[in-house]
Amino acid sequence: MGVVIVGAGAAGVQTAVALRERGYTGRVTLVGDEPHRPYDRPPLSKAVLRGRGRPDDVVFDVGFEELGIEVETGRSAQRLLPAEHRLGTSRSDLAYDTLVIATGADPVRLPGADAHVLRTLGDARRLRGVLDAGGEVVVIGAGWIGAEFTTAAREAGCRVTVVEAAPAPLGGVLPAAATAPMTAWYAQAGAVLRTGTRVAQVEPDGVRLADGSRLRADAVVVGVGARPATGWLAGCGIALGDRGEVAADAWLRTSAPDVYAVGDCASFPSARYGQRLLVHHWDNALQGARTVAAHITDGPGTAPYDPVPYFWSEQFGRTVQYAGHAGPGDTVVRRGTPGEPDGWSVCWLRGDRLAAVLAVDRPRDLAQGRRLITAGASIEPRLLPDPGVPLKATVRETAPAGSRRP
């Protein structure tokens, strides 16, 4: 029976590959609900929409046959029977010794007429057609996906209006005080950004706003977040979190024996941040897959999963990177001035330790900040605001044992 992996996205594929890399010799079956060969999602918004490659170029460069990984496409999970170690699918049941749930997340949709979303290869193909046609586009949400799509749409010559309910871009992801400088990027790119504006309904030729006014559009694109794709688990007894995600433990095990969960569909307890995290980013899928594979092959003694979350985005000619997890009680420290050629950063301090860093065109700040967060290094807060001081140079010196610091 071996290992059955439900979900052929990054988390599922990387789990299968990691199992083989760790010497697992049993049967590995990768089940995906789309008809395509497994493919990577980040290039859909970062490359395909911007004409940097064909949709078919995003398939994973993995020799599944050579690795002995069976890939079942066009087969969706429908139910789980943990007591019987059986997975019910759209074709037939699959028996397993170990099951890995990697079904990802589904985009949030708004009431009314159908609107475009960007999650699958089919979505990307349809949106490429929207860009090729030009015209008037309304984008709902100024988050990561909204910004990346707006970038591609403006490059394609579309007229774009972005509607965001929060007071600044990335609302609900990061504090508005940190992301407010990004507001100007939209106007500089020729797009209209309307913050503090809510959408009541998507209509066939545009959107109706909460105040009753309307925005006409040839196409509407929704990018307001995603929800874990766990509806098929209803009634099976696996514990879910308050956001509908699988509530995994520190080794990404679920409440059912021999069942793991990884990627966008699962949360995990973070000792680093003292709370349960649900991370919808590619790096989480990669790192989580390694933990799952290690625990399947090595069992007890495997290190618990507690990564520093990481994400990056290309928007409006800028590279935006974020590492860590900012909390409402953290102290916000700015480095550099928005608009300067050397870029700028925002750091979040929890006591004298770095909790998170947002870097715009400052890759060294991101790389060094991520290492400081991982190490839990104590830093000198007074040095942090100076962009001329490398983040690694802000680490507080530790006095030798028996000595006294001046």
Side-chain angles (χ1 to χ4, degrees):
M1 294 185 292
V3 177
V4 174
I5 303 169
V6 190
V13 169
Q14 295 299 333
T15 299
V17 172
L19 283 168
R20 290 303 190 219
E21 290 177 343
R22 298 190 67 84
Y24 181 79
T25 58
R27 186 176 184 180
V28 177
T29 305
L30 185 65
V31 179
D33 61 354
E34 293 187 58
H36 320 287
R37 283 181 58 84
Y39 62 89
D40 209 4
R41 296 187 191 277
L44 298 182
S45 61
K46 293 177 172 67
V48 174
L49 283 180
R50 301 176 69 180
R52 295 180 180 174
R54 300 172 303 165
D56 292 340
D57 291 338
V58 303
V59 297
F60 284 106
D61 186 17
V62 174
F64 294 106
E65 294 80 7
E66 292 83 351
L67 291 172
I69 298 170
E70 301 175 31
V71 180
E72 298 269 0
T73 58
R75 187 173 190 173
S76 61
Q78 296 186 336
R79 63 190 176 280
L80 179 61
L81 303 170
E84 302 175 27
H85 277 56
R86 282 196 298 124
L87 170 72
T89 77
S90 54
R91 295 180 191 167
S92 60
D93 287 2
L94 287 174
Y96 63 83
D97 293 313
T98 302
L99 181 75
V100 180
I101 300 172
T103 44
D106 294 324
V108 173
R109 298 180 185 273
L110 298 180
D114 287 340
H116 293 277
V117 294
L118 179 55
R119 189 68 179 176
T120 69
L121 186 56
D123 295 335
R125 286 173 170 156
R126 286 186 287 273
L127 283 171
R128 186 65 242 180
V130 169
L131 299 186
D132 290 341
E136 195 85 25
V137 179
V138 169
V139 179
I140 305 174
W144 303 113
I145 291 296
E148 291 181 356
F149 178 79
T150 299
T151 299
R154 286 301 300 140
E155 290 177 352
C158 297
R159 298 181 298 280
V160 184
T161 299
V162 183
V163 180
E164 169 59 53
L170 293 175
V173 180
L174 294 171
T179 60
M182 298 177 181
T183 300
W185 298 355
Y186 289 79
Q188 292 166 4
V192 175
L193 173 62
R194 297 181 58 170
T195 57
T197 304
R198 295 186 176 276
V199 172
Q201 187 168 333
V202 178
E203 299 181 340
D205 59 348
V207 299
R208 180 162 51 84
L209 303 180
D211 63 5
S213 62
R214 296 185 70 260
L215 293 175
R216 199 203 72 80
D218 299 308
V220 177
V221 180
V222 178
V224 293
R227 296 191 180 101
T230 56
W232 63 281
L233 293 171
C236 76
I238 286 184
L240 301 181
D242 56 9
R243 291 158 290 187
E245 84 284 7
V246 178
D249 70 5
W251 291 269
L252 299 180
R253 298 174 297 188
T254 73
S255 59
D258 305 316
V259 180
Y260 296 78
V262 61
D264 293 1
C265 67
S267 65
F268 57 91
S270 171
R272 186 189 312 278
Y273 291 104
Q275 65 184 97
R276 180 168 287 275
L277 298 182
L278 175 60
V279 181
H280 285 184
H281 298 317
W282 190 92
D283 189 67
N284 175 55
L286 174 64
Q287 295 194 62
R290 293 169 177 166
T291 293
V292 169
H295 200 272
I296 290 174
T297 57
D298 299 350
T302 303
Y305 185 59
D306 197 5
V308 174
Y310 168 73
F311 181 71
W312 69 279
S313 173
E314 288 182 350
Q315 47 188 266
F316 308 110
R318 299 166 176 86
T319 299
V320 182
Q321 296 174 287
Y322 177 75
H325 180 73
D330 297 339
T331 301
V332 178
V333 181
R334 300 182 182 279
R335 287 168 56 83
T337 303
E340 294 296 319
D342 292 336
W344 52 278
S345 301
V346 178
C347 297
W348 285 264
L349 277 177
R350 195 164 301 175
D352 65 350
R353 285 172 168 76
L354 198 61
V357 59
L358 170 72
V360 178
D361 292 334
R362 287 183 68 90
R364 288 186 180 179
D365 273 8
L366 188 287
Q368 293 178 18
R370 191 179 184 186
R371 286 195 289 269
L372 294 181
I373 298 169
T374 301
S378 175
I379 66 174
E380 292 282 3
R382 61 183 177 82
L383 300 176
L384 205 55
D386 187 348
V389 177
L391 281 181
K392 64 181 180 181
T394 67
V395 175
R396 179 170 288 158
E397 294 182 8
T398 302
S403 67
R404 299 177 63 184
R405 294 187 63 180

